[in-house]
Amino acid sequence: MKILNLLFLTLLLLNFSSEKEMDLGSFSMKTPKDWTYIKQRGIDSFVGKIAIGKNDTLYFDYGLYSNNLEESFNNGYYYIINNDSIFTPDWELSKLDTINEPIYKFFARGGKTKLNEFIENTSYEETINGLKAKIVVPINAEKGTTGVYFENTSTNRKGMKFQISGYNLKEENQKAFLRAIKTLKFKH
């Protein structure tokens, strides 16, 4: 009788596990039970969203051109004169230009060293299931990108690129996401 009760209790605890295996065909990972896959339409890759918590969303891209999560100031749109003055495009004035050339406006002094003040994220490399991964986390909690990028999803170098990330994630969702990242597995 004790063995039967122990077996029943074990099965009951397994059913109430707070994790599930989210299998999306090309890849899988262990996630909290309440995370939900939201199908998206991609042109040249497998893309989608995963709703986590009430207000946070992860975005993934599995293909040849997946974003490597490199951070850039103003999406890479800036111009530096004499290693000192930073100019950024003025999109409103550029719309009025009949020559179709970007019009730049002064942003700040300090050149590339000034741009470092706008960096939100830091990154480090880690091995996940035998694959080299770049993990990106915000410098300040809840302000920036949390994600992972794989340049290749196969140990034989014949895989695709993959990235999954979220922006301004709540701290508890960020921690759960970083745990889930470590369980990523790719199918070929």
Side-chain angles (χ1 to χ4, degrees), residues 33-59:
K33 274 190 173 182
D34 62 341
W35 289 18
T36 308
Y37 166 62
I38 302 165
K39 189 175 184 178
Q40 299 290 293
R41 192 171 172 179
I43 295 171
D44 58 3
S45 60
F46 174 40
V47 296
K49 297 180 184 178
I50 298 174
I52 63 173
K54 290 184 180 181
N55 299 315
D56 287 336
T57 305
L58 303 175
Y59 304 88

Side-chain angles (χ1 to χ4, degrees), residues 2-150:
K2 284 184 179 183
I3 293 174
L4 208 54
N5 285 339
L6 186 60
L7 182 61
F8 177 74
L9 184 60
T10 303
L11 289 173
L12 191 61
L13 288 173
L14 287 175
N15 271 348
F16 290 111
S17 171
S18 61
E19 286 189 342
K20 69 178 178 183
E21 182 79 18
M22 184 177 280
D23 189 341
L24 299 178
S26 300
F27 70 95
S28 66
M29 65 181 167
K30 289 182 182 173
T31 68
K33 274 190 173 182
D34 62 341
W35 289 18
T36 308
Y37 166 62
I38 302 165
K39 189 175 184 178
Q40 299 290 293
R41 192 171 172 179
I43 295 171
D44 58 3
S45 60
F46 174 40
V47 296
K49 297 180 184 178
I50 298 174
I52 63 173
K54 290 184 180 181
N55 299 315
D56 287 336
T57 305
L58 303 175
Y59 304 88
F60 67 83
D61 183 350
Y62 186 58
L64 293 174
Y65 307 107
S66 299
N67 182 330
N68 65 5
L69 301 179
E70 283 295 320
E71 186 174 3
S72 67
F73 167 70
N74 198 24
N75 292 321
Y77 296 109
Y78 63 86
Y79 184 66
I80 297 177
I81 297 177
N82 296 332
N83 294 324
D84 183 43
S85 298
I86 303 169
F87 291 84
T88 61
D90 186 325
W91 301 113
E92 292 304 313
L93 282 177
S94 292
K95 288 179 190 174
L96 302 174
D97 185 19
T98 57
I99 302 174
N100 218 10
E101 291 288 322
I103 296 175
Y104 288 88
K105 62 184 175 184
F106 176 78
F107 180 76
R109 291 208 181 280
K112 289 210 182 256
T113 56
K114 181 71 172 176
L115 293 179
N116 290 334
E117 293 177 19
F118 299 98
I119 293 175
E120 294 182 329
N121 310 313
T122 186
S123 65
Y124 58 94
E125 288 190 3
E126 193 168 304
T127 301
I128 299 174
N129 285 322
L131 300 170
K132 186 171 112 178
K134 172 180 149 184
I135 298 177
V136 175
V137 293
I139 294 169
N140 298 312
E142 300 185 11
K143 187 177 185 274
T145 300
T146 303
V148 65
Y149 168 74
F150 292 86

